[in-house]
Amino acid sequence: MSRPDWQDYYLAIAQAVARRASCPRLAVGAVLVKDNAIIATGYNGAPAGFPECESVGCEMENGHCVRVLHAERNVLLHAARHAGGVQGSTLYLTHEPCHECAKHIIQAGVKRVVFHGAYRSDPRVANAFAFAKVQLTRSGLKGA
C-alpha cells in the first residue's frame, strides 16, 4: 500500500464525509483545509433540527431538492461558526460545485478548490456548472 499524497488524502476524507449525506438524490462531501489541517467538514443535508430527506422525502422544486443545504454551504457555515474563518483555505469536494455554491466559495475567501469528479452528466445542469467554473476561474481561485 502506498502512502497517498495530501490531495488524495483529503479527497478520500471528502468521500467518507459524503456517506453522512441525508438526501438520497446525491451524496456530496466537503473538507475544508487550512495550513494542512482540517478546519471543517460538510455534507448535503437538512438544516439542524429539520427533518431529513431520508425520513420524510425530498422537497422538489424545478427538479432539485430544496430541503437540503449543499455540502459546500454546510462546510463554509460550520467553519465560520467554529473555526474562525476560511480565508486562504482549500476546499476538497466529491463533486464540482454548482454556480450558487461557487459564489459562496468565492465570497468566503477560499483560495483553491479541488473536486473528485463532475456533478452528473445531466444536460439541464451542464450550463450551470460551466458557469460555476467560469466564476471560480475569474475569481482567481486555483484548481478550479
Side-chain angles (χ1 to χ4, degrees):
M1 179 166 87
S2 65
R3 185 175 183 209
D5 63 20
W6 287 112
Q7 180 170 303
D8 290 342
Y9 173 72
Y10 292 126
L11 286 172
I13 293 171
Q15 299 243 341
V17 170
R19 293 197 314 258
R20 289 280 308 148
S22 62
C23 184
R25 300 190 74 239
L26 184 65
V28 179
V31 178
L32 197 60
V33 176
K34 188 170 182 180
D35 299 325
N36 229 21
I38 296 172
I39 59 173
T41 63
Y43 52 86
N44 51 326
F50 285 77
E52 301 285 357
C53 294
E54 60 190 11
S55 60
V56 296
C58 293
E59 186 176 332
M60 301 298 291
E61 287 183 15
N62 298 320
H64 298 281
C65 180
V66 295
R67 178 180 309 285
V68 300
L69 292 169
H70 287 191
E72 300 90 334
R73 293 183 196 178
N74 262 334
V75 76
L76 293 172
L77 292 168
H78 182 79
R81 193 172 181 187
H82 301 287
V86 302
Q87 190 72 32
S89 62
T90 299
L91 180 58
Y92 295 89
L93 300 164
T94 57
H95 298 78
E96 63 187 316
C98 71
H99 68 283
E100 286 298 318
C101 287
K103 291 189 284 188
H104 289 87
I105 292 165
I106 292 164
Q107 190 66 16
V110 173
K111 73 172 182 183
R112 184 171 177 243
V113 177
V114 178
F115 53 88
H116 186 268
Y119 175 71
R120 341 183 148 170
S121 57
D122 182 343
R124 294 173 299 165
V125 297
N127 288 339
F129 292 112
F131 181 65
K133 287 180 184 179
V134 168
Q135 286 178 311
L136 292 169
T137 301
R138 283 183 182 163
S139 74
L141 272 162
K142 297 178 182 171

